Amino acid sequence: AVWTATHVLTSNGVWVAPTFQAAWGWVSEIFSANPSANHSLTTATALVSLNTETIDTWGNYNTGTFLYTVPTTWNYQFSLVTYYSWVTIWDIINVFISKNSFASTLMWGQETAGWATWTISWTIIVALTAWDTVDIRARNQTASRGVLQSGVNTQFSWYKV
């Protein structure tokens, strides 16, 4: 596929080649949140408690379950920036965007710690169906140590594109 200014690269799932699709108009941020406390990393994959909403255009985020319910079938862009700390060099940190309570993984980032404090930052565009749920999960694959930092040091945002 050849990129043009009127197309976006869209994920077709894990281990499936992405494709270009026509872009539809504007990009609007519909949700943004961060954790109010550090999220402890263990070797078990766990939900990240994004309990401080900064934007929730349609009120689709549940701060009790930490699930965002997709309002309409459309393409969505997910962006994550997080700092993690209190890890050991060579620890392997995984952060996942999961769909329908980890029934499938939309994207995951893996970072091998080069320092005691490091950052993970990535963006993905996916096609979702109304009533799908999306959440963030994380773990330290190496050992139960470290945290995703709280407040604006960890920010997760959804955009309708």
Side-chain angles (χ1 to χ4, degrees):
V2 177
W3 177 84
T4 72
T6 61
H7 286 72
V8 294
L9 190 60
T10 304
S11 171
N12 292 313
V14 177
W15 306 113
V16 178
T19 55
F20 283 101
Q21 295 183 1
W24 295 98
W26 69 98
V27 173
S28 66
E29 186 171 22
I30 58 171
F31 176 76
S32 186
N34 55 58
S36 61
N38 287 345
H39 174 81
S40 295
L41 296 169
T42 67
T43 55
T45 303
L47 276 169
V48 176
S49 303
L50 299 172
N51 52 6
T52 303
E53 296 176 80
T54 53
I55 296 172
D56 191 356
T57 303
W58 293 311
N60 288 36
Y61 186 69
N62 184 323
T63 55
T65 61
F66 311 114
L67 296 175
Y68 183 85
T69 302
V70 175
T72 57
T73 300
W74 205 263
N75 292 331
Y76 294 87
Q77 173 182 309
F78 300 99
S79 298
L80 171 73
V81 176
T82 185
Y83 288 90
Y84 57 88
S85 57
W86 302 338
V87 296
T88 301
I89 293 176
W90 305 116
D91 277 5
I92 299 171
I93 309 303
N94 302 131
V95 179
F96 305 84
I97 299 175
S98 79
K99 178 175 126 179
N100 298 330
S101 298
F102 220 40
S104 63
T105 301
L106 299 176
M107 181 168 190
W108 65 281
Q110 177 172 300
E111 184 72 39
T112 301
W115 304 99
T117 300
W118 208 248
T119 184
I120 296 175
S121 175
W122 38 259
T123 297
I124 184 173
I125 297 175
V126 293
L128 293 172
T129 303
W131 305 110
D132 282 342
T133 59
V134 180
D135 61 59
I136 303 296
R137 296 168 188 255
R139 71 176 178 194
N140 182 337
Q141 187 175 316
T142 310
S144 292
R145 63 176 162 246
V147 298
L148 297 184
Q149 294 180 357
S150 64
V152 295
N153 290 324
T154 295
Q155 189 70 41
F156 189 70
S157 300
W158 280 266
Y159 302 85
K160 187 174 179 181
V161 294

